[in-house]
Amino acid sequence: MIVAVIDSGVADHSDLSGSVLPGKDFTDPAGSGRTDIDGHGTAMAGEIAAHGRDESGALGIAPDAKILPVRVLTRGKFKGDLGSAVSWAVAHGAKVINISLGGGITSNMFTALKAAEEANVVVVASAGNLPDDRRITAPAFVPSVLAVGAVDRGGNRDAISTTGSALDLMAPGTDIMSLGLNNGYKAATGTSDSSAIVAGAAALIRSKYPELSAREVVDRLESTAVDKGAPGVDPEYGHGVVDIIAALSVGTSATTDQPSANPSTGANNPPAGSSPFATSRAVAPTTRSMGSSSLLFGSATVLAILGGLAAFLILRRRRSRSD
C-alpha cells in the first residue's frame, strides 16, 4: 500500500529502511523528496509506516506500507504548490495521501483534490492547531478530504485542536513520539500527528479490504468511531474518535450497508495567515512502561481507543538488562 506524505520530505532513518520510495521535491528540481531539514515529514512517515529494526526502534500504524515522499516545505515555509503535489502523488500510485499541514487554497488545489477523489484515493489532512489556525484549515475543510483533530491523554479534545463543521474525525495527538532527524526520535503534540495516525489506519483498511472504495474506507472509519461530545456528529469531535480495531474488524457491510449517517459536507473559508505546520509545539517524550517494551505515545487513551492494535503503534522495544 503506497501512502504519500506531502510534507517537508522524509530523511533516511533505520526504522524506515526499505519503506521509502523515490518521491518528488517541489522545492528543489534535483531532489527526490528524501531530504528533510525540518523533521516534520520524517515524523509523519514514521507514525504511518516505521517498521523498527532488530529488537529496538519504532513501529508505525501500518508498518508494511510504502511511503511516497512529496516535499513542498523546507523549514515551515511553502515552496511548492500543494495542488501539483497532490496530482503528482495520485499519478504515482498513492492510494492514501497524508497532508499534515495547512495554508491557503488555490483553484489548482481544488482541481487536484477533485481528481484524487475521482481516482479513488483517500486524502487525510490535519484540521489545524490553535491559536495559529482559528478554524479548520485548508485543505482539511474541503469536503472530499478527511479532516482530523486531536484528542489528549484522556480521550478528550486537546486544547490545541481546531473545531468546526468540517471536522470529520479525531485521533490521538498529545505527546506523540515518532522518528526524528539523524536517526533519532522526538515527541510532539498537534493535529499533524492525528492525521498521520488516521492515514495509517486508512492504509490498513485498504490493505485488508482492497475492494472498498475510498469513500467506503472513510465511511468505515467514521461509522465505527467512538462518539464524543454532543451526540452524533458535532463541530468539536466530528464523527468521534477513531477506533481502528472496530474499523478493521467489522464486516464489509458496515461500510456498504451502514454508511456514516452524516458524512462531512462542511466547508469553512480558509483563515488568513494559517500556519503551514499543524504540529506547532514540541514536548518532552513520555515513556509508559509495558514490560520489556515502552509505549512512547505518552497518551494513555491510545490503548482504549485502538485496543489490541497498540502493537502497531509507535513502540520502542528494548532488550532486558539481563541480555
Side-chain angles (χ1 to χ4, degrees), residues 123 125 127 136 140-149 164-170 215 218 221-222 225 233-235 237-241 260 262-266:
V123 181
I136 308 299
F141 71 74
V142 176
S144 63
V145 176
L146 186 59
V148 184
S165 61
L167 185 65
D168 293 310
L169 204 60
M170 303 292 279
R215 180 64 255 178
V218 171
L221 287 166
E222 293 177 340
V233 183
D234 66 84
Y237 289 92
H239 291 79
V241 183
S260 174
N262 295 289
S264 173
T265 56

Side-chain angles (χ1 to χ4, degrees), residues 4 6-7 82 86 97-102 113 123-126 139 145 195:
I6 300 179
D7 213 292
L82 188 56
V86 170
I97 297 176
N98 184 67
I99 309 176
S100 288
L101 52 88
L113 291 172
V123 181
V124 185
S126 50
V145 176
S195 178

Side-chain angles (χ1 to χ4, degrees), residues 148-282:
V148 184
V151 292
D152 62 17
R153 300 180 183 188
N156 300 311
R157 183 180 69 85
D158 191 286
I160 200 173
S161 188
T162 57
T163 62
S165 61
L167 185 65
D168 293 310
L169 204 60
M170 303 292 279
T174 302
D175 299 356
I176 306 298
M177 178 64 79
S178 188
L179 308 186
L181 300 179
N182 302 314
N183 216 43
Y185 302 88
K186 70 174 186 178
T189 291
T191 60
S192 280
D193 305 277
S194 308
S195 178
I197 288 170
V198 171
L204 285 179
I205 294 170
R206 300 214 84 169
S207 293
K208 184 174 182 179
Y209 303 107
E211 74 281 3
L212 295 182
S213 69
R215 180 64 255 178
E216 288 171 333
V217 171
V218 171
D219 283 345
R220 176 179 284 260
L221 287 166
E222 293 177 340
S223 64
T224 58
V226 178
D227 190 29
K228 295 281 289 186
V233 183
D234 66 84
E236 187 177 12
Y237 289 92
H239 291 79
V241 183
V242 66
D243 185 333
I244 301 180
I245 290 297
L248 286 170
S249 301
V250 73
T252 54
S253 62
T255 308
T256 56
D257 297 337
Q258 302 175 26
S260 174
N262 295 289
S264 173
T265 56
N268 296 331
N269 292 325
S274 299
S275 62
F277 280 137
T279 295
S280 62
R281 69 186 189 202

Side-chain angles (χ1 to χ4, degrees), residues 55-79:
E55 294 298 321
S56 63
L59 288 175
I61 296 292
D64 288 333
K66 298 296 184 182
I67 296 294
L68 185 67
V70 186
R71 191 182 188 211
V72 295
L73 303 170
T74 53
R75 291 189 185 277
K77 302 292 184 182
F78 277 108
K79 287 195 174 181

Side-chain angles (χ1 to χ4, degrees), residues 301-315:
T301 189
V302 168
L303 294 178
I305 295 170
L306 305 179
L309 201 66
F312 285 96
L313 300 179
I314 305 295
L315 300 177

